[in-house]
Amino acid sequence: MHHNGAIHMSRIEIDYDKCVKDRFCIRACPYKLFADSGDGSPVLVENAEDLCIDCGHCLAVCPFGAIALNGVHQEELPDRAPSLDPSPESVEQLFTFRRSIRAYKKTPVERELLVKLAEIARFAPSAVNNQPVHWIMVDSKDVLTQIVSHTAAFMREQGVLPRLAEALDNGMDLILRDAPALAVAHAPSSALSPQVDCVIAATTMELAAASHGLGACWAGLLMRSANDCAPIRELLRLPEDHNAYAALMLGYPKLQYAKRPPRTPARITWI
Ligand SMILES: Cc1cc2nc3c(=O)[nH]c(=O)nc-3n(C[C@H](O)[C@H](O)[C@H](O)COP(=O)(O)O)c2cc1C
């Protein structure tokens, strides 16, 4: 399409030469932005391009690559490899034998692995596909130590869990547990659902870390201090309009758990 001599690329393009009228895009679009023109071939509804949330389901579902979204064509997308699907038993073991790890080897966590984890977590669901999550990765011992001491000072100031600050005075870090790495999920506080989106992303990261033999633990004490303590915000280089909503200590575990501890039975109400 040409506008004033400039090439205008539609956000959603349908290649009718490739379309076999299987209606998959029509059925997959969460907002019903494809209408059936009568013979199964899709046409965009009015304002489709404004209403589209870029979820890419149309692009991913078409077996024939007839859809392009924001200039991305299906050939560029990775194929799912069914042979790599974990069994339900593998998933159950990964999810239920994941433990909060609080004793870490000094071995540094490879930056490639931290990147890999962030790459996996970016496919976590987010409200309206808003994808607001950013990561701050800290693997500098010096910065981690400073974060811990500011957290302790802040907690002491607030009168919260003074025992933890005392422990730090005695050389025991109960805040970040001497973890060699820290991942902080942050997002614009104006996003639609920043806390939930960051928590889901961090949960995804924690499980992905476990699959790599990497231990993690939620850094709740840091999460309570990070946004309100100026020196921590500064150390983390948190953008002013962002808040930290989830934080994970990461590192290789010193202990292995052979057994799964008991947990409260699932409480289910059937309606
Ligand atoms: C939001 C959140 C915050 C947490 N904060 C901390 C923390 O600051 N320090 C810590 O040692 N564990 C923390 N934990 C870990 C919990 O104590 C742990 O998940 C719980 O005891 C169950 O153990 P498991 O994770 O091994 O199943 C936190 C967990 C969550 C979900």
Side-chain angles (χ1 to χ4, degrees), residues 2-231:
H2 290 266
H3 277 302
N4 306 325
I7 293 173
H8 169 78
M9 186 168 58
S10 287
R11 282 180 9 83
I12 308 164
E13 293 169 280
I14 304 166
D15 183 340
Y16 289 99
D17 291 335
K18 291 184 179 162
C19 176
V20 301
K21 303 175 183 166
D22 54 26
R23 305 181 74 256
F24 289 171
C25 55
I26 298 171
R27 288 159 62 195
C29 176
Y31 289 98
K32 305 288 169 212
L33 301 182
F34 297 91
D36 186 336
S37 57
D39 62 351
S41 97
V43 280
L44 294 177
V45 303
E46 204 180 333
N47 294 332
E49 309 219 330
D50 299 329
L51 298 169
C52 172
I53 61 166
D54 288 331
C55 72
H57 283 215
C58 53
L59 184 61
V61 80
C62 178
F64 303 100
I67 309 272
L69 181 62
N70 297 320
V72 176
H73 292 259
Q74 203 186 65
E75 309 85 81
E76 305 164 40
L77 304 178
D79 287 313
R80 202 175 76 85
S83 65
L84 292 180
D85 283 346
S87 65
E89 292 79 8
S90 304
V91 171
E92 182 175 337
Q93 172 151 297
L94 178 71
F95 283 32
T96 66
F97 280 77
R98 170 217 57 80
R99 292 279 68 79
S100 293
I101 297 304
R102 300 189 180 88
Y104 299 98
K105 293 182 180 164
K106 287 202 183 332
T107 323
V109 183
E110 305 83 343
R111 284 197 165 188
E112 299 73 34
L113 180 51
L114 295 172
V115 170
K116 177 84 189 159
L117 298 179
E119 284 289 330
I120 293 171
R122 73 193 175 91
F123 292 93
S126 66
V128 204
N129 195 33
N130 199 229
Q131 303 176 68
V133 181
H134 298 237
W135 292 99
I136 292 162
M137 299 283 192
V138 188
D139 60 1
S140 144
K141 183 70 201 155
D142 174 46
V143 176
L144 288 165
T145 305
Q146 291 185 58
I147 290 173
V148 169
S149 72
H150 282 295
T151 307
F154 187 75
M155 287 173 63
R156 185 173 265 156
E157 211 177 282
Q158 307 271 311
V160 180
L161 299 169
R163 215 173 57 82
L164 295 176
E166 274 162 39
L168 190 62
D169 292 341
N170 298 321
M172 216 181 336
D173 169 16
L174 299 182
I175 293 166
L176 292 183
R177 312 267 175 181
D178 293 315
L182 174 73
V184 179
H186 62 105
S189 44
S190 62
L192 197 64
S193 183
Q195 177 161 13
V196 172
D197 294 345
C198 284
V199 168
I200 296 171
T203 302
T204 304
M205 177 171 286
E206 182 182 20
L207 290 165
S211 78
H212 282 271
L214 189 66
C217 185
W218 285 75
L221 302 168
L222 171 65
M223 283 154 65
R224 280 166 69 162
S225 322
N227 297 316
D228 301 327
C229 176

